[in-house]
């Protein structure tokens, strides 16, 4: 087999894996959009906040220590304990639920029935707020996140492929774990939204706030629910990306990688997020490999994802799996 | 008390269609203009000009531009940073290629170049709507930044990859380059700001503005009653990019003087300008100014208060700044979802009725 | 024709009472200027009146959907079964049996017809089987919905959507339905059909209706009692049968002149003053 | 008398001309749903033509075909003696066909006056540069068109709400504003989709008067969909009846109301 | 008081790099103030201004602080440096970009107010190649070097130098840009895995550094062949990667660790006394030491300026003059408690950079320390200087600057 082809296969596989990581972030967006028609600009920052909180809890950091020290002249930093990863994840999930409740209580409930752009704007405010809060709470230094996920080349795949092709493929263990977790998340979320009464209510709220209110669906409850779910998904994404690149501000920028995925897959579709992620992942890696790096001098990933999404959208304006836009007069 | 329509009769449709139909508003506008042109230049210092007034004026131009596209025509754009970069680089190329031509013309031409690019990236808007359209504009954002970074021709093959504005003069007074006076740069930007404001106002109160708003409010119905969506959307993209391009040119040439594209015209800039119009008020020229003022001034004020008055460490102040700006945005929304402009209008309506509650 | 004489206003207990409410939108627009009405249990009460009279606003202030439109009840009180309800969340009200069918149908476009109906049962904490039973009941009133159960609500016709909206409300096993303009945009046959269904739901299931209508003619034929609202005030009320005989109501709401129905062609731009406005 | 291609005079003395618009064998499908099945009918100059039928019969779809918003899979549209080539909706509007919508489609973010003025867009010709300058040509054009708009506003008696944002108007007034927006385009053919839905008798009377006056004073041809049989029977010259995409009746109001198919499918009871 | 504005970035995407530096700079100045009562009797007033690494905020900081008698600006960002070069030149305030900013500012004949010491990117690229050559036994003929770089003006800085050097030494140069922010670098590292370059150089920034080092570890690239520039070689870049980062190398222009009397004094007199700018955890980190280095040189320049001017309260112009004749010998460093911390400095009117030496340091993941593994090396002046000359003359032409120092 020609070398280029083997490389292309390796790139494709890695692209698929990268796509799953994008999809994890996109999933959080989809959940909230589906349930409330809100384009949650703060999703990336939520992932950052979740990851920071997780690390903070694990390391026994004193929250707001910086502020406390500045005001009271104290010298607090650590509680001096160390909490196992699993327990810390549970605690952080609790914090994310609390955050969801706050979002509902202080933001969403005051904005029932407002047009999408206004809700979008509220999430911008939220993003600013959370960014400031996470820094103030945990400090803006980079933190190391290690919840025990395996990382590095998967030797088994390396060996197997080496025996077949004479060239061992590189697949990152972390990506494999991410793929499994993403698959689990997607299946359970889909089942939830399709087959449970809360799931149905979520979709109803997305269609028409007022009507949902009128049949007795408590928007407050649904919103706490979806924001909690989105918070949990953000935590998962935060763990994956944080393990990869450390926990610090830039983590929130992964949202930018999720946007083209979202648009390509459709804002409202959970499977769309996954399929979109895979297409973008593979597309941008292959493009960089075959065209970008050799002919354009590389670093094409950022815009290529968007251009790819754009091309798809021209043919399917609601995204691959998005709900058909009902246009009637 | 003075704020009344009553007794302020219009005798012609021309009077009725003017920019400030209420006399009090009109006089106030003239007063602001007089102060801006006749008083401020004599008292403005480096700090006020470079840290507050220039960014305010330039962002206001960009915000007006984006507001035309997003607020008036309903097309969400996240490509403002990229389009500003087009304006900046066009201006740089023009300034260095034709040094004898007036910078004034260069800035306007930069707007023209940006308008052309804007139309190109506006084409997908015919099929793609709403948040999905953001993808087209984001593609523009990332692609343009990449392009300006990639192709050395754009930065005249300089070793640093940065572009720096050479010195140019208007009426013998330097407005770009190192030896500028605060008042000169301020006036230069003010003229553009006023010009774009008036043009935007003219366009939005007339035929074109109505076809934009029709498309925004209900595009299908608009098409059925006779609005050509292609034309409406593309003109919106063109006009909007024109303004944004001018803002980009001024941002580079007059305000910063040197620019590295990814850092200055990145996606953050797109979001910043979008936030301005959303906070100021979509579909309102006044809102564009208000939003620009809000997001330029608020951080500065918070910083001055936090660091200089209260003496907090700078990083804590910076974190609080984010928290406060975020909370204020949310608070504004809860109180008045349609931005500062609407808040202002409601206050005005109450004033008009005053002292009666309804 | 049907005649509404049975549960007379006076005997039945009052289920809902609105007394002297004022509603302001956006902090400045005063819409209701002191509306009072009583809805007897088990009856059909009609709220009539022209455009912008405030019918929808009245219903929404009862069901507490006003707040989401930046409206506010600033005066007066609303009691349901003797208890004040103006602070209850809409979902609490639905649990307590008050549900609104909104003007303009408001179906969940992207859900199927059946899913739409199921959302109606959201507040019921009952078993699947009971919900299924409930669903069958609704389908028995609206066989058309059963045929279209799998299609997306966004693509159903106006009549079907109206049925769907009412059916959805029925799914919550309500005590009382606030029905806003059920006849709007429906073919005459369907209007009759829907009103007949309302009537039979009222009779068979004992559901109380408060219905806002423009179509005075039909409304007064099916309702027991009526209120006429104009510019945010109740200008007249009475038994439906009496209202139908009132000369003003006849002229302004039923389009009858002394010589019987007058042709729309003959209407000219004269305008008689309504007597109650004098 | 319907065969008279040159037109005829009605009992109340209005002159009805020849055929202006003819729909020939229109079939329209949405995926599996057949919204319109092989329907043909015509509209004559100066007449008021009603389209009635049960909900979901395809009436609005038919108007959408005329407006060019839906493109039928089969069939032809003839307008003023010529077969209409495929056209965008805005081009149709420029040919002098204006309409209102079933679910009010006003521009909610604009005032009444601006909404009405959008109806004049087909008549506006100034380019972007003159508009940017405003003073001069653009202003002149604006004022000329404003006069027309004001005329219609007066005619429909909505002067008082000129500067009100339409989102604040009650339903009935919105319908009237929509009519104003259509009328201000000075259409040859006016399509009204349920102009009286959600109105009480008094308002229907007002609306009827407007429709008749438009027809009388401007000689506008009108096609309207309406569910109120009283209105349809009183106003229209001829009525098309549709049921589930098929045409089941076509003729004068009297003929239609005696048609047994129509009674079964739509009226429920013989209407008198 | 003498005012030194500190345009720090303790927030934003690059805060992990900005915080240690800011702490180091402040803490050293605090030490000077506390221990010596300032320099020449004048206390040093460090005026912190938060830029979040954002150019506009940088401009605002500049305008805000320049009226307070700022002696020198240390912009802490290449972008801000470029903004400030014309402004500060017009306002006659010196700028010192500490191994970033405009490389050609080395030419004092053109850039009267700008200093770029101790070393420049182009020097760095050259030193990296020299080091690689040493490792390979003196020749790079037929070898392959990959450059992973931040796709921005900063990241592209070394390319020209490396191209010239590849021609001279006959190695192949593979360019691998990474777009901002750089969280996803699969494509680049798969390519490195395929092409197996003998060395990988990195001009990275922010999160890009950690990800690159992580990916290198993932593909098991030999870490001791992976060399970053000084902005890609601090604890923030390697700690998150953990074990995998062991053996990673980077360039540096100052000593690593805490074995210097001055640092120990900072620990006891500043941090332990509760007067530290930060929480003290950054003490001795690479970024912190960079801050200490910068502060020490500034303090020395002030002392020198005071001697020259004969007055304690000096002006920016006097500071500039002092910078242009600044000599910090090894002995003087020793006296400062920083013996062996950095090579001696000697500036002149023509040359606004000195000593233009860089060393290589290596990360020991287990011990969590950086150690210098090479001497301070000179760049290949033959290659670098003409490039500097060319670029600075172009700037002079463009801006009509008359050459000075004659
Ligand atoms: N959200 C709102 N904001 C401001 N004003 C409103 C709002 N909703 C309704 N109004 C005003 O309140 C008045 C009463 O409206 P309402 O909808 O209650 O009337 P209605 O009797 O239901 O009329 P219709 O028969 O047209 O439905 C109208 O004048 C309307 O313009
Ligand atoms: N855009 C569309 N996509 C799919 N189906 C459509 C679309 N528009 C209309 N239909 C279907 O076509 C059929 C006819 O619809 P239409 O709106 O024309 O009915 P109508 O006669 O106007 O009814 P009503 O009196 O309720 O307004 C309906 O079954 C409707 O669901
Ligand atoms: Mg109503
Ligand atoms: Mg219809």
């Amino acid at each position: 087999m020609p070398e280029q082809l083997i490389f292309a296969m390796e790139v494709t596989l890695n692209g698929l894996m990268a796509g799953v990581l994008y999809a994890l972030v996109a999933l959080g967006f989809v959940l909230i959009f589906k349930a409330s028609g809100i384009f949650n600009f703060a999703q990336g920052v939520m992932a950052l906040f979740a990851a920071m909180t997780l690390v903070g809890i694990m390391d026994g950091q004193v929250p707001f220590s910086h502020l406390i020290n500045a005001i009271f002249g104290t010298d607090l930093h650590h509680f001096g304990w160390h909490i196992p990863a699993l327990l810390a994840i549970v605690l952080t999930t609790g914090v994310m639920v609390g955050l969801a409740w706050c979002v509902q209580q202080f933001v969403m409930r005051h904005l029932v029935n407002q047009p999408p752009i206004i809700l979008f704007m509220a999430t911008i405010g939220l993003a600013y707020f959370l960014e400031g809060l996470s820094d103030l709470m945990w400090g803006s230094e980079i933190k190391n996140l290690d919840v025990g996920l395996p990382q590095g080349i998967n030797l088994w795949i390396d060996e197997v492929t080496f025996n077949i092709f004479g060239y061992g493929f590189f697949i990152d263990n972390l990506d494999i774990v991410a793929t499994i977790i993403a698959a689990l998340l997607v299946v359970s979320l889909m089942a939830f939204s399709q087959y449970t009464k809360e799931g149905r209510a979520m979709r109803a709220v997305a269609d028409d706030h007022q009507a949902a209110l009128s049949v007795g669906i408590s928007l407050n409850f649904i919103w706490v629910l979806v924001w909690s779910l989105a918070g949990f998904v953000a935590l998962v994404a935060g763990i994956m990306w944080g393990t990869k690149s450390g926990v610090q501000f830039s983590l929130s920028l992964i949202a930018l990688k999720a946007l083209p995925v979202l648009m390509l897959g459709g804002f409202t579709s959970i499977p769309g997020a996954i399929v979109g992620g895979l297409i973008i992942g593979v597309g941008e890696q292959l493009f960089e490999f075959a065209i970008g790096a050799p002919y354009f001098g590389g670093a094409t990933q950022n815009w290529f994802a968007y251009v790819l999404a754009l091309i798809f959208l021209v043919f399917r304006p609601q995204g691959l799996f998005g709900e058909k836009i009902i246009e009637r007069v | 008390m003075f704020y009344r329509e009553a007794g302020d009769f219009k005798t012609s449709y021309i009077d009725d269609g003017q920019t400030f139909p209420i006399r009090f508003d009109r006089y106030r506008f003239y007063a602001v203009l007089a102060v801006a042109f006749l008083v401020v230049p004599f008292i403005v210092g480096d700090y006020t000009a470079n840290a507050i007034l220039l960014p305010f004026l330039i962002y206001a131009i960009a915000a007006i531009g984006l507001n035309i596209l997003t607020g008036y025509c309903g097309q969400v754009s996240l490509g403002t940073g990229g389009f500003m970069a087009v304006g900046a680089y066009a201006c740089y190329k023009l300034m260095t290629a034709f040094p004898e031509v007036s910078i004034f013309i260069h800035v306007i031409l930069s707007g023209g170049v940006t308008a052309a690019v804007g139309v190109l990236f506006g084409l997908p808007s015919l099929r793609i709507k709403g948040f999905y359209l953001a993808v087209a504009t984001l593609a523009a954002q990332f692609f343009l930044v990449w392009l300006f970074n990639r192709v050395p021709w754009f930065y005249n093959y300089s070793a640093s990859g940065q572009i720096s504005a050479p010195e140019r003069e208007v009426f013998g007074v330097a407005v770009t380059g190192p030896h500028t006076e605060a008042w000169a740069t301020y006036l230069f930007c003010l003229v553009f700001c006023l010009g774009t404001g008036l043009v935007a106002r003219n366009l939005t109160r007339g035929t074109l503005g109505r076809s934009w708003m029709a498309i925004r409010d209900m595009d299908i119905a608009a098409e059925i009653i006779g609005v050509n969506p292609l034309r409406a959307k593309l003109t919106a993209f063109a006009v909007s990019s024109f303004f944004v391009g001018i803002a980009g040119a001024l941002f580079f040439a007059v305000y910063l003087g040197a620019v590295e594209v990814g850092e200055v015209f990145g996606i953050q800039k797109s979001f910043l300008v979008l936030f301005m119009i959303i906070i100021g008020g979509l579909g309102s020229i006044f809102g564009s100014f208000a939003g620009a003022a809000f997001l330029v001034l608020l951080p500065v004020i918070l910083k001055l208060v936090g660091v200089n008055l209260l003496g907090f460490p700078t990083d804590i102040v910076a974190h609080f700044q984010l928290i406060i700006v975020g909370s204020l945005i949310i608070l504004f929304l809860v109180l008045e979802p349609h931005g500062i402009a609407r808040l202002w209008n409601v206050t005005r309506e109450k004033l008009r009725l005053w002292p009666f509650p309804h | 024709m049907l005649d509404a004489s049975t549960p007379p206003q006076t005997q039945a207990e009052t289920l809902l009472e609105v007394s002297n409410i004022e509603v302001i939108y956006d902090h400045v627009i005063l819409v209701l200027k002191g509306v009072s009405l009583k809805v007897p249990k088990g009856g059909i009460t009609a709220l009539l009146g022209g455009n912008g009279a405030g019918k929808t606003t009245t219903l929404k202030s009862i069901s507490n959907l006003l707040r989401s439109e930046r409206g506010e009840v600033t005066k007066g009180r609303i009691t349901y079964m003797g208890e004040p309800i103006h602070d209850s969340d809409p979902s609490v009200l639905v649990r307590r049996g008050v549900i609104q069918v909104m003007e303009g149908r408001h179906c969940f476009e992207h859900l199927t017809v059946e899913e739409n109906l199921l959302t109606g049962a959201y507040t019921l904490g009952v078993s699947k089987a009971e919900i299924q039973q409930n669903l069958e009941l609704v389908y028995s009133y609206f066989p058309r919905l059963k045929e279209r159960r799998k299609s997306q609500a966004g693509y159903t016709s106006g009549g079907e959507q109206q049925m769907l909206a009412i059916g959805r409300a029925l799914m919550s096993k309500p005590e009382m339905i606030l029905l806003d303009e059920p006849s709007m945009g429906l073919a005459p046959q369907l209007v009759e059909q829907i009103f007949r269904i309302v009537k039979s739901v009222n009779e068979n299931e004992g559901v109380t209706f408060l219905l806002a209508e423009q179509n005075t003619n039909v409304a007064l034929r099916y309702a027991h009692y009526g209120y006429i609202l104009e510019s945010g005030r109740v200008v007249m009320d009475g038994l439906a049968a009496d209202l139908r005989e009132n000369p003003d109501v006849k002229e302004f709401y039923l389009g009858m002149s002394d010589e019987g129905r007058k042709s729309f062609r003959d209407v000219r731009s004269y305008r008689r003053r309504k007597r109650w406005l004098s | 008398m319907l065969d008279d291609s040159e037109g005829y005079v009605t009992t109340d003395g209005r002159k009805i001309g020849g055929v202006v618009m003819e729909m020939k064998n229109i079939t329209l499908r949405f995926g599996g749903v057949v919204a319109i099945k092989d329907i043909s009918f015509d509209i004559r100059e100066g007449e008021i033509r009603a389209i009635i039928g049960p909900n979901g019969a395809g009436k609005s779809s038919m108007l959408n075909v005329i407006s060019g918003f839906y493109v039928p899979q089969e069939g032809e549209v003839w307008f003023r003696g010529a077969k209409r080539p495929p056209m965008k909706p805005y081009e149709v509007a420029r040919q002098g066909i204006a309409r209102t919508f079933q679910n009010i489609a006003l521009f909610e973010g604009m005032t009444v006056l601006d909404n009405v003025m959008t109806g004049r867009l087909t008549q506006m010709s100034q380019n972007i540069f003159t508009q940017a300058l405003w003073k001069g040509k653009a202003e002149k054009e604006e004022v000329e068109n404003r006069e027309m708009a004001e005329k219609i506003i007066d005619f429909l008696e909505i002067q008082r709400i000129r500067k009100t944002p339409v989102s604040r108007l009650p339903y009935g007034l919105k319908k009237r504003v929509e009519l104003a927006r259509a009328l201000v385009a000075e259409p040859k053919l006016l399509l009204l989709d349920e102009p009286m839905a959600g109105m009480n008798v008094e308002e229907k009377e007002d609306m009827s008067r407007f429709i008749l006056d438009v027809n009388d004073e401007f000689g506008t041809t009108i096609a309207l969909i309406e569910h109120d049989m009283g209105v349809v029977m009183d106003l229209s010259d001829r009525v098309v009846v549709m049921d589930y995409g098929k045409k089941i009746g076509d003729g004068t109001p009297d003929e239609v109301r005696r048609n047994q198919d129509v009674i079964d499918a739509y009226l429920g009871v013989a209407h008198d | 008081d003498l005012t030194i504005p500190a345009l720090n970035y303790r927030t934003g995407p690059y805060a992990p790099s900005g915080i240690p530096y800011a702490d180091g700079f402040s803490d050293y100045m605090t030490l000077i103030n506390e221990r010596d009562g300032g320099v020449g009797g004048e206390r040093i007033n460090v005026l912190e201004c938060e830029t979040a690494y954002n150019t506009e905020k940088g401009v605002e900081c500049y305008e805000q602080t320049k009226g307070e008698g700022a002696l020198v600006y240390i912009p802490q960002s290449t972008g801000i440096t470029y903004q400030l070069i014309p402004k500060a030149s017009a306002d006659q305030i010196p700028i010192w970009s500490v191994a970033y900013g405009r490389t050609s500012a080395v030419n004092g004949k053109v850039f009267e107010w700008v200093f770029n010491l101790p070393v420049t990117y182009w020097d760095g690229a050259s030193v990296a190649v020299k080091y690689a050559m040493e490792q390979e036994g003196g020749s790079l003929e037929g070898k392959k070097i990959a450059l992973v770089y931040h796709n921005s003006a900063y990241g592209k800085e070394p390319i020209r130098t490396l191209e010239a050097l590849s021609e001279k030494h006959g190695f192949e140069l593979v360019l691998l840009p990474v777009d901002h922010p750089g969280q996803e670098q699969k494509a680049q590292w798969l390519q490195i895995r395929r092409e197996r370059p003998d060395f990988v150089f990195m001009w990275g920034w922010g999160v890009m550094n950690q990800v690159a080092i992580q990916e290198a570890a993932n593909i098991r690239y030999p870490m001791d062949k992976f060399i970053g520039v000084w902005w890609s070689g601090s604890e923030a870049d390697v700690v998150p990667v953990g074990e995998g980062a062991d053996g990673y190398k980077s360039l540096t222009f100052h000593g690593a660790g805490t074995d210097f009397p001055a640092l120990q004094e900072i620990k006891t007199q500043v941090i332990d006394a509760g007067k530290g700018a930060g929480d003290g955890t950054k003490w001795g980190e690479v970024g912190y030491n960079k801050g200490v280095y910068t502060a020490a040189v500034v303090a020395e320049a002030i002392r020198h300026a005071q001697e020259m001017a004969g007055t304690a309260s000096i002006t920016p112009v006097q500071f500039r003059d002092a910078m242009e004749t600044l000599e910090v010998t090894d002995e003087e460093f020793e006296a400062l408690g920083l013996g062996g911390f950095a090579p001696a400095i000697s500036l002149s009117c023509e040359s606004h950079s000195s000593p233009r030496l860089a060393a290589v340091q290596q990360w020991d993941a287990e011990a969590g320390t950086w150690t210098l593994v090479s001497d301070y090396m000179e760049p290949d002046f033959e290659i670098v200087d003409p490039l500097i000359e060319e670029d600075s003359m172009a700037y002079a032409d463009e801006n009509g600057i008359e050459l000075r120092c004659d």
Side-chain angles (χ1 to χ4, degrees), chain D residues 91-206:
Chain D
E91 292 167 323
V92 173
R94 271 153 216 256
Q95 285 198 329
I97 299 180
R99 66 174 287 183
T100 65
F101 301 88
Q102 179 170 8
N103 299 313
I104 299 173
L106 282 174
F107 306 122
E108 297 271 328
M110 299 155 74
T111 61
V112 169
L113 181 63
D114 278 333
N115 265 280
V116 176
M117 288 290 281
T118 52
R120 290 297 288 175
L121 284 178
T122 46
Q123 263 82 1
M124 304 288 231
S125 63
Q126 286 305 308
N127 66 29
I128 189 166
F129 298 105
T130 51
Q131 285 188 53
L133 283 179
W134 190 255
K135 287 285 168 213
K137 286 190 197 155
E139 188 172 46
K140 189 156 154 274
E141 186 184 65
E142 177 85 4
V143 168
E144 282 163 12
N145 286 289
R146 173 78 186 269
E147 274 158 9
M148 181 66 198
E150 291 288 346
K151 198 172 119 195
I152 298 293
I153 287 175
D154 282 350
F155 175 71
L156 292 180
E157 296 165 10
I158 45 177
Q159 305 92 323
R160 279 196 321 154
I161 53 163
R162 243 197 228 114
K163 295 277 172 76
T164 317
V166 284
S167 55
R168 285 201 198 156
L169 296 181
Y171 188 83
L173 279 179
K174 282 189 184 174
K175 286 244 149 191
R176 221 186 273 183
V177 175
E178 227 194 1
L179 181 62
R181 186 179 68 186
L183 284 181
V184 82
E186 301 175 75
K188 314 277 183 320
L189 173 60
L190 178 63
L191 311 173
L192 304 173
D193 198 346
E194 303 198 18
M196 292 171 217
M199 294 195 173
N200 66 15
V201 173
E202 193 183 357
E203 290 152 348
K204 282 181 182 169
E205 287 173 355
D206 285 344

Side-chain angles (χ1 to χ4, degrees), chain E residues 71 75 147 174 217 400:
Chain E
L71 273 191
L147 174 69
V174 180

Side-chain angles (χ1 to χ4, degrees), chain A residues 101-123:
Chain A
W101 185 82
C102 291
V103 167
Q104 192 286 125
Q105 189 68 19
F106 299 113
V107 187
M108 295 336 286
R109 68 185 277 151
H110 303 288
L111 295 173
V112 183
N113 209 28
Q114 295 292 353
I117 185 87
I118 286 175
L119 295 165
F120 168 65
M121 178 163 41
T123 65

Side-chain angles (χ1 to χ4, degrees), chain E residues 16-86:
Chain E
S17 308
I19 294 171
Y21 168 88
D23 287 354
F25 188 86
S26 291
D27 287 356
Y28 184 85
M29 290 304 189
T30 311
L31 177 72
I32 296 279
N33 285 340
E34 297 293 308
R35 189 188 60 191
D36 314 339
V39 183
E42 290 278 343
R43 291 177 76 85
I44 309 283
N45 173 23
V46 176
L47 205 58
E48 275 216 27
C49 189
E50 175 65 38
T51 66
Y53 204 78
N54 170 316
T55 29
E56 287 152 64
K57 287 204 187 129
V59 171
E60 190 214 319
C61 279
Y62 172 80
E63 298 291 351
Q64 189 197 332
T65 50
K66 82 174 183 199
E68 320 234 349
L71 273 191
V72 57
Y73 277 92
I74 302 166
Q76 282 287 330
S77 131
T78 298
I80 298 176
T81 309
Y82 273 85
Q83 309 307 320
L84 297 192
I85 287 176

Side-chain angles (χ1 to χ4, degrees), chain E residues 333-346:
Chain E
F333 269 121
E334 188 81 46
L336 292 175
L338 291 169
F341 185 64
I345 296 170
S346 163

Side-chain angles (χ1 to χ4, degrees), chain B residues 149 160 260 262-263, chain E residues 149-157 178-179:
Chain B
N149 208 348
S160 59
E260 204 224 308
E263 209 172 293
Chain E
Y149 65 96
H150 193 255
N151 194 18
S152 65
Y154 149 71
K156 288 190 289 191
E157 284 271 354
V178 173
D179 242 351

Side-chain angles (χ1 to χ4, degrees), chain C residues 69-165:
Chain C
E69 294 204 21
R70 305 185 78 74
E72 216 180 345
V73 179
T74 51
K75 249 193 218 157
R77 55 194 265 119
I78 303 173
T79 52
Y80 173 68
M81 297 191 177
E83 290 166 40
I85 52 170
H86 43 256
D87 277 334
S88 330
D89 206 65
S91 64
V92 175
L93 282 177
V94 174
R95 269 174 232 275
R96 297 188 56 189
V98 183
I99 191 164
Q100 174 161 7
V101 175
M102 288 201 291
E103 185 176 35
R105 292 144 207 169
H106 286 274
C107 295
F108 303 119
E109 291 189 344
H110 291 101
L111 271 59
T112 63
V113 167
E114 187 154 306
E115 283 176 329
N116 260 282
L117 289 176
L118 288 175
T119 56
Y122 181 80
T123 49
L124 293 184
V126 296
S127 69
K128 279 236 160 65
E130 256 173 282
I131 290 177
Q132 200 57 39
Q133 219 178 341
N134 223 339
L135 199 59
E136 288 309 319
L137 178 78
V138 172
Y139 282 147
S140 72
Y141 281 112
F142 303 103
R144 178 86 188 127
L145 292 186
K146 191 164 190 175
E147 283 170 39
R148 305 218 55 176
R149 58 201 280 183
K150 292 279 173 244
S151 38
Q152 271 199 6
Y155 289 119
T156 53
S157 79
E160 289 159 356
Q161 290 188 0
Q162 187 64 58
M163 296 185 202
L164 184 52

